[in-house]
């Protein structure tokens, strides 16, 4: 082979490689231009879409306040912990710490995550305290987030629990005024767009889509001071008499406002872990009972309206019993011949029955319905009962007689208080209200002012040494009222050893401002009469309420002073 043999030159190959290189470089340049210039806005939008999120702005629920502006329900900001399960399970070292902070068992936490692996949003714990949320965020775990919410707090606790009620974990009303006025109290959440980092933390607010609208505040008719007073006295009476339950309702005669409404047993709305369903109902509004002798004033009102009777009309109640068919009605004693006033004073069943039997059934039924028995009070409180009053066409003589002294119908404590407020308001019926009234409410006349004044005069004799309700007296004020001691109805008739003790009345009797009904269910102590169990509660609550409201006394004793001759001149 010759030394000068030529080495092959691959010109075409070189050209091909160079051309390929130029094409690749051109494609890269084109791609760069495409990404950085032509599709820049699109790519920015795509990038932001992966971190841009629309989040809710929580709305503050309105406060519930008493008539003077003292808070009864307020909302406090809290955090809720939520996770993205798929992100969190990839960090097994975080789970034990997270379970300890949140108070969730580790096995339970793993089960929650495993069962919801396909979800993007799972709550682990709602409404935790700020220090707990801070500890969770300090873990800096991927897929673990917090969300701002509000938790309801009730400063009055069990004292006002049955009026206020409570909300659920989603801040929706479940009981009481929280439920009845939920639309008024509930706010409207807002929305905004934000940018989040890879840990889900908000790093920038982009825009507000809709502003959050807070709920409206609600001013109740309740006076927190009187509410506490009534609660304390009722609780003490129920405990002292070993009673099953109790209720009390205080109304403002001039406006129909409910100033206090309390029940026993009660509960703490701030801690409902051991709450039983029987505890949270407002018994004064939902539970019914036979009112017994507290109905007698309305029987007498019908008699006075008929013009057949006056307060001095004589009724012969001898020999202390009245036989109607196979049934016999008894008095506590043989009162003989007494006037209509003393039918009230002595609480004569025989006297009330004889009066009722002399009246037309439709007249009795008409007045009973006009004062509100058998229908709801239109207070707007959730679950209010209408009680029971049968139509007069179904009455026989025995029903007419027993209805006259409060058996054979059922009422709520609120209904009874409303009915007594009509007597106090000179025959005018005003709707009861749980909400503060800014002005006097026009009422509807039920019976004449003359009859109302005659009734109050007769009912004043009950709260005297001659009557059954002396323990309801209030120093410095005239009290008009009526006691009631009711045998409880059972499946086999009326129990001989189970009672309801009631006192219903008003003060000051000369120009009533307040009406109060006290009901104690099944007192199991030594006393069970309404005049001995319920009347003392009436006295203490009414006494305190009249003074708190600066109602002028109408029965102050006259103090006569005599200057002695010696040193009598200055």
């Amino acid at each position: 082979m010759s030394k000068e043999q030529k080495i092959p030159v691959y010109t075409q190959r070189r050209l091909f490689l160079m051309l390929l290189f130029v094409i690749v470089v051109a494609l890269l340049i084109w791609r760069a231009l495409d990404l950085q210039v032509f599709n820049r806005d699109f790519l920015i939008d795509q990038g932001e879409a992966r971190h841009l999120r629309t989040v809710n702005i929580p709305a503050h629920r309105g406060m519930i306040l008493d008539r003077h502006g003292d808070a009864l329900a307020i909302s406090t900001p809290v955090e809720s912990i939520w996770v993205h399960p798929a992100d969190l399970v990839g960090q097994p070292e975080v789970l034990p710490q997270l379970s300890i902070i949140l108070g969730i068992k580790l096995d339970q936490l793993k089960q929650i995550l495993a069962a919801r692996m396909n979800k993007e949003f799972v709550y682990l714990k709602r409404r935790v305290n700020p220090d707990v949320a801070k500890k969770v965020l300090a873990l800096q775990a991927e897929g673990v987030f917090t969300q701002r919410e509000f938790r309801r707090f009730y400063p009055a606790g069990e004292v006002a629990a049955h009026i206020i009620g409570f909300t659920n974990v989603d801040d929706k009303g479940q009981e009481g005024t929280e439920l009845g006025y939920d639309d008024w109290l509930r706010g409207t959440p807002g929305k905004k767009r934000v940018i989040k980092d890879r840990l889900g933390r908000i790093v920038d607010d982009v825009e507000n889509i809709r502003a959050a609208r807070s709920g409206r505040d609600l001013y109740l008719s309740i006076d927190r001071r009187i509410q506490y007073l009534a609660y304390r006295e009722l609780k003490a009476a129920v405990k002292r008499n070993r009673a099953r339950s109790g209720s009390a309702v205080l109304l403002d005669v001039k406006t129909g406002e409910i100033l206090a409404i309390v029940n026993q047993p009660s509960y703490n709305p701030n801690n409902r872990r051991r709450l039983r369903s029987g505890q949270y109902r407002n018994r004064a509004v939902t539970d019914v009972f036979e009112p017994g002798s507290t109905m007698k004033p309305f029987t007498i009102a019908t008699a006075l309206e008929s013009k057949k009777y006056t307060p001095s009309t004589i009724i012969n109640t001898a020999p202390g019993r009245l036989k109607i068919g196979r049934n016999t009605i008894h008095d506590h004693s043989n009162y003989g011949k007494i006037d209509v006033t003393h039918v009230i004073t002595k609480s004569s069943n025989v006297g009330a029955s004889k009066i009722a039997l002399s009246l037309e059934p439709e007249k009795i039924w008409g007045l009973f319905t006009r004062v509100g028995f058998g229908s709801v009070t239109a207070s707007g409180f959730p679950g209010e009962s209408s009680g029971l009053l049968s139509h007069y066409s179904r009455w026989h003589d025995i029903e007419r007689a027993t209805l006259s002294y409060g058996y054979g119908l059922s009422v709520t404590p609120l209904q009874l208080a409303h009915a007594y407020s009509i007597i106090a308001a000179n025959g005018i019926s005003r709707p009861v209200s749980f909400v503060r009234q800014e002005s006097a409410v026009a009422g509807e006349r039920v019976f004449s002012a003359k009859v109302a004044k005659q009734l109050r005069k007769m009912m004043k004799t009950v709260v005297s040494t001659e009557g059954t309700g002396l323990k309801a007296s209030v120093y410095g004020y005239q009290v008009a009222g009526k006691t009631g001691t009711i045998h409880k109805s059972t499946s086999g008739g009326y129990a001989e050893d189970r009672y309801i003790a009631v006192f219903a009345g008003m003060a000051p009797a000369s120009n009533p401002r307040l009406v109060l009904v006290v009901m104690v269910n099944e007192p199991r102590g030594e006393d069970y009469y309404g005049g001995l169990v319920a009347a003392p509660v009436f006295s203490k609550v009414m006494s305190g309420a009249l003074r708190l409201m600066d109602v002028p006394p109408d029965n102050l004793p006259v103090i006569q002073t005599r200057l002695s001759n010696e040193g009598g001149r200055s």
Side-chain angles (χ1 to χ4, degrees):
M1 183 177 235
S2 172
K3 292 181 180 179
E4 295 181 0
Q5 184 178 358
K6 293 182 179 179
I7 300 173
V9 178
Y10 302 101
T11 305
Q12 291 181 349
R13 183 179 297 177
R14 244 191 333 262
L15 289 174
F16 174 75
L17 290 174
M18 289 178 66
L19 181 61
L20 181 63
F21 178 75
V22 170
I23 292 172
V24 169
V25 171
L27 287 173
L28 290 173
I29 293 173
W30 171 256
R31 181 59 177 164
L33 289 171
D34 181 58
L35 294 176
Q36 297 296 325
V37 179
F38 301 116
N39 288 315
R40 181 175 182 274
D41 293 339
F42 170 77
L43 293 173
I44 289 175
D45 290 341
Q46 289 296 305
E48 288 183 346
R50 285 160 175 75
H51 295 279
L52 191 66
R53 294 289 183 268
T54 300
V55 298
N56 287 330
I57 305 172
H60 192 281
R61 189 175 176 88
M63 291 194 297
I64 301 178
L65 308 107
D66 85 336
R67 64 185 305 104
H68 301 298
D70 291 333
L72 298 174
I74 57 176
S75 294
T76 56
V78 291
E79 301 290 341
S80 289
I81 309 301
W82 67 276
V83 298
H84 187 286
D87 290 342
L88 184 56
V89 293
Q91 307 165 83
E93 71 282 356
V94 174
L95 298 183
Q97 301 174 63
L98 189 60
S99 69
I100 293 172
I101 295 172
L102 296 180
I104 303 173
K105 292 181 180 180
L106 183 57
D107 291 341
Q108 182 183 357
L109 177 58
K110 291 180 178 179
Q111 289 175 3
I112 292 172
L113 297 176
R116 297 167 175 80
M117 192 60 66
N118 60 336
K119 303 286 186 181
E120 293 187 357
F121 185 102
V122 176
Y123 278 119
L124 285 187
K125 199 157 190 179
R126 303 284 296 273
R127 298 179 176 181
V128 300
N129 292 329
D131 58 330
V132 174
K134 188 176 181 181
K135 291 178 182 178
V136 170
L137 293 177
L139 297 175
Q140 293 189 337
E142 289 191 30
V144 180
F145 314 97
T146 62
Q147 178 173 297
R148 173 60 59 88
E149 293 187 305
F150 290 96
R151 179 170 59 194
R152 211 65 163 156
F153 176 67
Y154 304 97
E158 63 184 52
V159 173
H162 290 118
I163 304 170
I164 307 304
F166 54 85
T167 59
N168 64 8
V169 72
D170 293 314
D171 220 21
K172 294 181 180 178
Q174 300 297 295
E175 288 290 333
T177 51
E178 289 277 32
L179 173 60
Y181 291 89
D182 188 57
D183 290 340
W184 178 276
L185 294 164
R186 191 172 63 237
T188 303
K191 286 185 180 297
K192 65 178 179 179
R193 287 194 179 92
V194 299
I195 294 177
K196 293 186 176 182
D197 64 11
R198 66 183 182 85
L199 296 178
R201 295 173 299 193
I202 295 175
V203 295
D204 188 24
D205 288 339
V206 177
E207 66 171 327
N208 281 322
I209 301 174
R210 184 180 68 235
R213 182 178 63 81
S214 297
R216 291 169 288 184
D217 294 342
L218 178 66
Y219 284 84
L220 298 184
S221 59
I222 300 300
D223 187 316
R224 185 174 176 176
R225 303 167 302 169
I226 301 175
Q227 178 76 11
Y228 174 78
L229 169 65
Y231 181 83
R232 182 189 68 193
E233 296 302 334
L234 180 68
K235 184 176 182 178
V238 168
K239 183 177 180 180
R240 181 171 58 252
N241 293 281
R242 295 186 287 117
R244 183 179 297 275
S245 62
S247 298
V249 180
L250 182 72
L251 295 182
D252 187 326
V253 174
K254 308 298 183 185
T255 63
E257 293 172 303
I258 299 170
L259 299 176
I261 187 165
V262 295
N263 300 280
Q264 279 294 309
S266 187
Y267 68 96
N268 182 1
N270 297 307
N271 183 5
R272 304 191 297 275
R273 293 177 184 174
R274 298 180 181 178
L275 179 63
R276 298 190 300 271
S277 60
Q279 290 178 291
Y280 58 67
R281 73 178 186 271
N282 190 342
R283 296 171 184 266
V285 178
T286 64
D287 289 14
V288 297
F289 65 100
E290 290 180 301
S293 293
T294 57
M295 282 296 295
K296 287 173 183 169
F298 302 103
T299 301
I300 302 302
T302 309
L304 297 175
E305 283 279 290
S306 73
K307 306 292 176 54
K308 293 181 179 180
Y309 294 87
T310 68
S312 59
T313 302
I314 299 299
I315 309 293
N316 186 4
T317 66
R321 60 183 180 274
L322 176 65
K323 190 170 180 61
I324 302 176
R326 293 179 297 176
N327 302 282
T328 303
I329 294 169
H330 296 273
D331 273 342
H332 189 268
S333 301
N334 179 10
Y335 300 121
K337 292 183 178 181
I338 56 176
D339 59 22
V340 172
T341 296
H342 279 79
V343 171
I344 295 286
T345 310
K346 297 298 184 182
S347 197
S348 171
N349 294 339
V350 173
S353 297
K354 284 192 170 185
I355 292 172
L357 290 171
S358 71
L359 301 172
E360 296 176 4
E362 56 267 37
K363 297 294 185 183
I364 301 173
W365 181 85
L367 189 135
F368 283 10
T369 55
R370 291 200 303 275
V371 299
F373 297 127
S375 59
V376 295
T377 64
S379 68
F381 198 89
E384 181 179 358
S385 174
S386 63
L388 177 64
L389 175 64
S390 61
H391 193 265
Y392 67 86
S393 61
R394 302 177 185 176
W395 296 356
H396 296 92
D397 285 350
I398 187 61
E399 281 83 20
R400 201 178 347 160
T402 56
L403 282 166
S404 73
Y405 56 90
Y407 284 87
L409 77 162
S410 61
V411 303
T412 66
L414 179 60
Q415 280 180 314
L416 191 59
H418 175 235
Y420 268 69
S421 73
I422 297 172
I423 300 174
N426 289 330
I428 299 294
S429 174
R430 292 186 175 88
V432 299
S433 175
F434 279 91
V435 178
R436 186 179 70 182
Q437 301 297 309
E438 301 299 335
S439 59
V441 179
E444 179 182 357
R445 181 160 296 282
V446 172
F447 47 79
S448 68
K450 179 182 178 181
V451 167
K453 291 174 182 178
Q454 288 175 326
L455 285 174
R456 292 205 301 269
K457 186 176 180 180
M458 288 187 276
M459 291 162 64
K460 282 165 58 177
T461 65
V462 174
V463 191
S464 68
T465 54
E466 190 181 8
T468 57
L470 179 61
K471 289 185 178 294
S473 58
V474 176
Y475 180 79
Y477 296 87
Q478 298 181 71
V479 174
K482 187 69 190 75
T483 57
T485 307
I486 304 100
H487 287 273
K488 290 198 71 173
S489 176
T490 62
S491 57
Y494 286 94
E496 291 297 326
D497 57 351
R498 296 169 61 191
Y499 300 92
I500 296 175
V502 184
F503 188 89
M506 60 204 70
S510 60
N511 183 22
R513 177 64 189 277
L514 301 177
V515 163
L516 174 61
V517 168
V518 179
M519 186 275 288
V520 180
N521 180 31
E522 287 194 40
R524 286 167 283 191
E526 294 181 1
D527 299 320
Y528 57 84
Y529 289 108
L532 299 177
V533 174
V537 181
F538 176 96
S539 175
K540 292 176 181 178
V541 175
M542 183 63 80
S543 176
L546 289 167
R547 286 163 176 77
L548 285 170
M549 295 185 67
D550 293 325
V551 178
D554 67 342
N555 194 32
L556 285 176
V558 178
I559 302 175
Q560 294 182 347
T561 59
R562 188 180 298 172
L563 294 176
S564 62
N565 292 329
E566 296 181 4
R569 297 179 180 177
S570 56

